[in-house]
Amino acid sequence: MPRALIVGNTDGIGLALTRRLLDTGWDVVGVSRRPSELDSPAYEHVVADVTAADYARQIGNFGTGGTVDLAVYAAGIGEPLDLANLGEQTDAIRVNLLGAALTADAVLPAMVEAGRGHFVGLSSLADILVTPDAPGYAASKAGLTSYLLSLGKAVRKHGVAVTAVRFGFVDTKMAKSPVAPFKISVDEAVDVLVRVIANKPSLISYPRKMALAARALRTFSRP
Ligand SMILES: NC(=O)c1ccc[n+]([C@@H]2O[C@H](COP(=O)([O-])OP(=O)(O)OC[C@H]3O[C@@H](n4cnc5c(N)ncnc54)[C@H](OP(=O)(O)O)[C@@H]3O)[C@@H](O)[C@H]2O)c1
């Protein structure tokens, strides 16, 4: 059976993707700070915080050991800017960017050695924005997209794929903004991820109309 690691899967996109993979015959190891509500013999949960000093060690062997065919980094946070609490922006960079890098660090060497595997990171169309609203989120996603695209080029010749997924608004608790144009359902986001897992592109921006809107916003947002 194919085996996946999904980091950030007690909620939102990560939870829905985990359910879809379990329904279609995958073994899944999930990681998040809270215990999981999932109850399946094909599912194992590791309670871990990606910002903890021992995170890399905690996911080092995914509980039962062995490599994974697929790793999806779906953990993410984002708070609006509060100038009295810039720590929240720093936290977004820690979780969204550093956590993803630590996860890649834990799984990619084994994939390269095996000559196969796929690492998927959930970035965002916000990766091109200069925004006073959520600077930590935008910076974390800019860094994440860049890191994934660069890593992907490095590991492709070893038979390993890396995908940066740039969603617009997805209907989860994270999409709190009252203005969320072209918002898609979690199911639609999972449909996109299933195609990503099948086709292994290096980059996907979805939905297309929101990607075009983000490009226009970038033009206006740059100093
Ligand atoms: N929703 C959107 O509109 C949207 C758009 C573009 C991109 N994205 C990206 O897609 C990803 C998933 O977003 P979502 O909307 O599904 O978010 P969500 O519903 O808020 O879920 C986030 C997941 O991340 C986990 N998580 C958060 N901090 C963590 C930590 N320190 N350590 C381990 N796990 C942690 C949470 O579990 P615990 O609380 O149990 O730890 C939860 O399972 C994020 O990277 C987000 O930036 C979302």
Side-chain angles (χ1 to χ4, degrees), residues 7-15 31-35 45 48-52 55 73-78 91 94-96 121-126 137 140-141 144 165-176 180 183-184 186 206:
V7 180
N9 76 332
T10 42
D11 227 325
I13 302 166
L15 176 59
V31 178
S32 65
R33 292 168 300 180
R34 286 171 290 163
H45 194 77
D49 185 329
V50 302
T51 66
Y55 169 65
Y73 193 79
I77 58 170
D91 286 344
R94 275 202 190 97
V95 173
N96 303 353
L122 299 196
S123 191
S124 163
L125 292 173
Y137 187 80
S140 70
K141 296 302 185 179
L144 179 58
V165 177
R166 303 172 69 235
F167 282 132
F169 294 101
V170 183
D171 194 6
T172 69
K173 73 172 177 353
M174 182 178 273
K176 309 165 189 139
K183 183 156 74 181
I184 62 169
V186 177
Y206 191 94

Side-chain angles (χ1 to χ4, degrees), residues 4 6 16-26 28 70 197:
I6 306 196
L17 177 65
T18 304
R19 287 204 167 106
R20 185 78 70 90
L21 292 182
L22 289 170
D23 285 349
T24 51
W26 287 72
V28 180
L70 168 72
I197 291 164

Side-chain angles (χ1 to χ4, degrees), residues 186-205:
V186 177
D187 262 2
E188 189 171 350
V190 172
D191 288 342
V192 172
L193 292 176
V194 167
R195 291 198 292 275
V196 160
I197 291 164
N199 300 324
K200 301 184 177 65
S202 48
L203 180 70
I204 177 141
S205 305

